């Protein structure tokens, strides 16, 4: 194939798009039991066992497809679970489509598996948590953890399609919904002052929040697909200390909650460095939908780990690479910057339990 034709064939929606190409995924919306008719016969569906239990109609709609049940959670994001799954894939050809049916941990793990299986197969996301719908199913990143280092090994492997089936969200707890909302707010806070103000005035319906957050993230990803241009890094707002809180709690603090608390840390660091005006920090903190008690929870979690552990985790986190700790900080809603954060700034905050 000539270089020109090859490029043309990888364009969005092209039938021959290379597996994993970082193009915006085709979005389909509706009831899963109807959409499933569009699933190729050679699809392998990696499905969160809990979701299949909660949605028996989905389980029976998949009766004619190959389904591998997985247990969601950070433990799924590991090389050992990828190996366990890979052992069941002997004979699955490169032309197959992998379907990640579940939340962000299923999506992240299966993205890596899709990237590695036969050097790359077609991927389809069916996000079943709000967090996965607003964030992890957009942008083509997948990763596994190594020890207590979150996302230590990762790939870029874009999905060809994403199916948004709101029925799944009906079985999420309020806490799970809040996790998705927090990742959505991360985008409004950092990327779009107008959306931030509109959402602050009146909390958007979850459906609106999912749609608008996906659109905001897609714009960032389009501007910097491989996180090389200093744009996509903005999506890490709240994740520096968020990942520390996940790791130091042995992943008992779930990702969305950790990111919510991590955004409070980022605001505090921003204020301490003189980057974030205190009034901006207050406005953002009161807009974030984390409910009462977030500060107390943060203080409780920080008290459980010493600064040496945090220092090691920050150094292992990709955002701490090389030059010392760098964090995405807020100047104003929709205006962010990346700043060096010396230990003399973050350590006293950590030790003091992140006082408001
Ligand atoms: N790749 C990315 O760009 C990106 C972005 C953000 C987050 N992430 C990753 O996403 C992960 C967090 O995602 P998550 O919170 O969806 O995790 P998850 O997959 O562990 O799901 C959370 C819980 O919800 C349950 N669940 C899933 N769907 C459900 C449903 N419809 N009803 C009831 N329960 C349901 C799961 O069984 C699990 O217990 C983290 O590992 C994070 O690092 C990745
Ligand atoms: Zn996140």
């Amino acid at each position: 194939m000539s270089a020109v034709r090859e490029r043309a064939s990888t364009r969005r929606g092209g039938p021959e798009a290379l597996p994993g190409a970082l193009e915006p995924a085709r979005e389909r919306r509706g009831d899963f039991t109807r959409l499933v008719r569009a699933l190729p016969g050679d699809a392998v569906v990696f499905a969160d066992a809990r979701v299949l239990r909660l949605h028996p109609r989905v389980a029976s709609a998949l009766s004619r497809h190959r389904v591998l049940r997985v247990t969601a959670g950070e433990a799924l994001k590991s090389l050992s679970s990828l190996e366990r799954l890979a052992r069941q894939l002997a004979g699955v050809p490169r032309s197959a489509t992998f379907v990640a049916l579940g939340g962000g941990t299923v999506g992240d793990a299966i993205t890596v598996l899709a990237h590695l299986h036969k050097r790359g197969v077609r991927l389809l996301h069916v996000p079943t948590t709000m967090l996965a719908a607003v964030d992890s199913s957009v942008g083509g990143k997948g990763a596994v953890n190594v020890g207590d280092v979150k996302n230590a090994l990762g790939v870029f492997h874009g999905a060809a399609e994403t199916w948004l089936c709101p029925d799944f969200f009906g079985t999420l707890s309020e806490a799970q919904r809040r996790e998705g909302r927090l990742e959505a707010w991360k985008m409004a806070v950092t990327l779009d002052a107008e959306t931030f103000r509109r959402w602050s005035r009146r909390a958007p319906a979850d459906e609106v929040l999912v749609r608008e957050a996906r659109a905001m993230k897609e714009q960032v990803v389009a501007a910097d697909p491989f996180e090389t241009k200093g744009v996509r890094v903005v999506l890490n707002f709240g994740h520096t200390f968020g990942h520390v809180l996940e790791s130091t709690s042995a992943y008992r603090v779930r990702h969305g909650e950790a990111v919510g608390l991590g955004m409070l840390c980022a605001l505090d660091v921003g204020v301490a460095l003189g980057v974030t005006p205190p009034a901006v920090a207050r406005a953002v903190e009161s807009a974030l939908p984390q409910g009462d008690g977030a500060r107390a929870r943060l203080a409780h979690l920080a008290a459980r780990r010493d600064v040496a552990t945090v220092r090691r985790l920050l150094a292992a986190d990709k955002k701490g690479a090389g030059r010392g700790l760098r964090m995405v900080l807020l100047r104003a809603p929709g205006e962010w910057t990346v700043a060096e954060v010396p230990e003399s700034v973050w350590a006293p905050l950590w030790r003091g339990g992140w006082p408001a």
Side-chain angles (χ1 to χ4, degrees), residues 123-139:
L123 174 66
L124 199 158
H125 279 302
V126 187
T128 64
T129 61
M130 268 184 45
L131 190 146
V134 301
D135 197 345
S136 60
S137 65
V138 183

Side-chain angles (χ1 to χ4, degrees), residues 46-48 51 72 99-107 125-129 132-133 136 168:
F46 299 85
D48 181 335
V51 172
V99 181
L101 176 85
T105 60
V106 177
H125 279 302
V126 187
T128 64
T129 61
S136 60
F168 285 117

